[in-house]
Amino acid sequence: MSEKAQIGVTGLAVMGRNLARNFARHGHTVAVHNRSYNRTKELVEEFGNEGTFIPSESAEDFVASLERPRRVVIMVKAGAPTDAVIDEFAPLLEEGDMLIDAGNAHYLDTRRREAALRERGLHFVGTGVSGGEEGALHGPSIMPGGSPESYEALGPLLEDISAKVDGEPCCVHVGPDGAGHFVKMVHNGIEYADMQLIAEAYDLLRQVGGHTPSEIADVFRGWNEGRLGSYLIEITAEVLKQNDAESGQPFVDIVLDQAEQKGTGRWTVQAALDLGVPVSGIAESVFARALSGGADVRKAAADAGLPGPSATAGAHEGDLQADVEQALFASKIVAYAQGFQQIQAASKEYGWSIDPGAMAKIWRAGCIIRAKFLDFIKQAYDKSPELTTLLVDQYFLDAVSGAQDAWRRVVVTAAQHGIPAPGFASALAYFDGLRAARLPAALIQGQRDFFGAHTYRRVDKEGAFHTLWATDDRKEIDA
């Protein structure tokens, strides 16, 4: 075979197929392979006019069609299927070649795979890709991890096919081993929180404001022109404007209210617990999806007549639409602040040296959480790379301070009307927890010392102490 491919893609479901087409459209010769050869043939037959594809039926022919260093993009389901593909291809590769996992893998799996393949002289590049099937084809946000050496050979190709903002690629080397997949995981966690907050805003405007879905769509379209401008706000307006062709009812009213999830949001919360980072907004969004999906529990509550507010709540005190916009923006800031804090904590824990400003930069286009205010996040970290939380940056401090009264009114209104708003409420509680001069954790430490002799520290002197609670005089001793 005379012609060699610059990159190969194995696994040609929608995402893999579209990534392969994206590479080809940008002038790269692409080797393509799938467990079922029919899918490979269909890709070449249908889209062969978009560029140069080299189809292969066997793994051996696929590897042989690649130039050195070989770049093999894996696009299969996370977990065991990914391990199976690695086991199939790794023996066929040579030192310096690379396997690129562009699926939603768990970052700990990526760390394990990277270490094992490094011992064999191979580069394993865990790569987050955001933007769905459209992004994969037209330009996604790409978050590659792995070694700096692998990025030298792979980075130019990924930057070429990524989304662009003012000519700048939405792709950057995130850090070693699992850094890329970790950042993509947190991206998805923020996405969960963002979607939950938008849903709560819709619910309040409909149930308290009495607006129709079509009217709320117009509200979201207006918000999309301002500081809330984002992909998720944009598509929310489209969804709310849609009517069901069969029934004529608003589309949102004929969809079963049970949100599903693929696991990345849950992984984000689990990782945050391990790191000791409070991502309460993301956690509430995951739990809200779990609650929506708990059909049996919800039915039992409905059958039992679980009561709501005992008295009819009054009207919202203030401009509901303006207040909800304020609450949505402030809560959104909190969700991003929590996500970026988690990225910084993991970077420190694993020695990844992730640049948070660069993450904000590559999320400005191509990905699901692309939004106007990511420019302000980038500016915040450019000014202060070690910023402890976005909430102390002046832009975001001013924004949440200005939203505070409206934010509180919205949370109160939701509670009075019996409307669940865990995203708004938890974001506000987090904000209040950060600004509190003193938290009731002191009492918790006293309780822990009482039942478990776990000790406590004092505000007036150094050291650890324990009170002898079972004695008459309850004397304090150095622990």
Side-chain angles (χ1 to χ4, degrees):
M1 183 185 295
S2 58
E3 186 174 24
K4 295 283 188 179
Q6 285 83 56
I7 196 160
V9 179
T10 180
L12 300 177
V14 175
M15 285 292 290
R17 180 187 66 193
N18 282 3
L19 274 179
R21 292 173 60 195
N22 195 349
F23 281 117
R25 286 177 169 191
H26 282 80
H28 304 291
T29 300
V30 187
V32 287
H33 169 267
N34 193 76
R35 187 162 52 91
S36 167
Y37 186 58
N38 282 337
R39 184 166 282 177
T40 308
K41 288 196 299 182
E42 289 169 1
L43 167 62
V44 176
E45 289 169 0
E46 189 171 356
F47 303 108
N49 63 332
E50 295 183 341
T52 304
F53 298 97
I54 301 178
S56 295
E57 190 165 359
S58 70
E60 291 79 6
D61 287 346
F62 174 71
V63 169
S65 71
L66 292 164
E67 68 179 25
R68 297 288 313 277
R70 300 182 182 94
R71 308 169 186 91
V72 177
V73 178
I74 301 170
M75 290 300 297
V76 300
K77 289 183 180 180
T82 299
D83 282 322
V85 172
I86 292 170
D87 290 343
E88 180 181 12
F89 281 92
L92 305 176
L93 301 177
E94 298 175 80
E95 186 173 349
D97 291 347
M98 61 196 76
L99 286 164
I100 303 112
D101 178 6
N104 275 330
H106 195 287
Y107 76 100
L108 293 179
D109 284 340
T110 302
R111 298 195 79 210
R112 167 179 58 80
R113 292 163 180 155
E114 193 277 337
L117 290 171
R118 191 184 339 125
E119 291 184 359
R120 299 169 66 168
L122 301 176
H123 296 285
F124 186 74
V125 185
T127 303
V129 178
S130 178
E133 59 184 86
E134 286 299 308
L137 181 61
H138 299 294
S141 174
I142 308 178
M143 296 150 261
S147 67
E149 295 79 13
S150 65
Y151 194 76
E152 286 181 14
L154 175 65
L157 279 77
L158 297 182
E159 291 176 12
D160 197 20
I161 69 162
S162 73
K164 308 293 189 300
V165 175
D166 299 327
E168 293 185 300
C170 292
C171 173
V172 70
H173 181 228
V174 177
D177 57 74
H181 275 147
F182 187 92
V183 165
K184 174 55 164 57
M185 177 191 74
V186 175
H187 163 285
N188 285 21
I190 294 172
E191 178 186 310
Y192 273 54
D194 212 343
M195 294 171 72
Q196 175 65 25
L197 293 168
I198 290 171
E200 291 177 16
Y202 151 76
D203 207 19
L204 283 158
L205 291 175
R206 189 164 190 188
Q207 294 205 53
V208 179
H211 299 294
T212 66
S214 181
E215 291 169 343
I216 300 171
D218 291 335
V219 172
F220 275 91
R221 281 178 177 164
W223 286 351
N224 195 49
E225 297 301 315
R227 61 182 183 172
L228 279 170
S230 65
Y231 174 71
L232 284 172
I233 293 289
E234 177 187 343
I235 67 169
T236 297
E238 292 300 315
V239 172
L240 290 174
K241 204 73 174 178
Q242 179 75 14
N243 285 328
D244 175 53
E246 184 176 335
S247 66
Q249 297 297 309
F251 171 79
V252 73
D253 287 345
I254 60 93
V255 176
L256 189 66
D257 62 336
Q258 296 179 18
E260 298 177 0
Q261 52 185 309
K262 294 248 180 114
T264 47
R266 182 169 64 250
W267 290 351
T268 304
V269 177
Q270 290 168 340
L273 290 171
D274 291 337
L275 291 165
V277 178
V279 294
S280 51
I282 297 171
E284 287 293 353
S285 68
V286 174
F287 293 141
R289 290 197 190 190
L291 177 62
S292 76
D296 292 344
V297 179
R298 292 173 62 195
K299 183 179 185 305
D303 291 346
L306 211 63
S310 57
T312 302
H316 177 78
E317 294 184 4
D319 182 336
L320 179 66
Q321 183 176 315
D323 282 358
V324 170
E325 190 272 347
Q326 292 271 25
L328 179 55
F329 192 61
S331 300
K332 181 185 179 84
I333 290 170
V334 167
Y336 278 75
Q338 292 176 351
F340 274 89
Q341 185 185 356
Q342 182 174 2
I343 289 171
Q344 289 173 292
S347 181
K348 183 177 180 180
E349 174 73 16
Y350 297 115
W352 286 337
S353 299
I354 296 174
D355 177 356
M359 299 307 99
K361 178 180 175 181
I362 66 172
W363 289 349
R364 293 180 300 166
C367 72
I368 304 302
I369 63 171
R370 57 187 184 266
K372 291 178 181 178
F373 89 145
L374 281 161
D375 281 320
F376 293 102
I377 295 179
K378 180 183 180 300
Q379 291 169 20
Y381 284 112
D382 284 348
K383 286 185 297 183
S384 304
E386 302 302 320
L387 192 67
T388 54
T389 173
L390 280 173
L391 293 171
V392 301
D393 174 77
Q394 196 60 53
Y395 172 80
F396 296 107
L397 178 61
D398 290 344
V400 293
S401 297
Q404 184 178 170
D405 291 344
W407 196 3
R408 296 185 190 282
R409 286 194 295 269
V410 167
V411 172
V412 168
T413 294
Q416 288 177 333
H417 284 78
I419 298 170
F424 287 155
S426 68
L428 181 59
Y430 178 83
F431 170 76
D432 283 336
L434 284 186
R435 67 172 194 81
R438 188 167 171 79
L439 292 167
L443 176 59
I444 294 171
Q445 283 300 92
Q447 294 168 334
R448 294 179 72 244
D449 189 61
F450 190 106
F451 65 68
H454 293 296
T455 76
Y456 53 88
R457 288 174 293 156
R458 296 177 57 97
V459 299
D460 53 0
K461 55 185 173 182
E462 294 295 321
F465 301 91
H466 169 57
T467 293
L468 300 175
W469 296 99
T471 61
D472 291 337
D473 60 359
R474 293 190 172 176
K475 182 172 64 175
E476 180 180 77
I477 60 173
D478 290 330

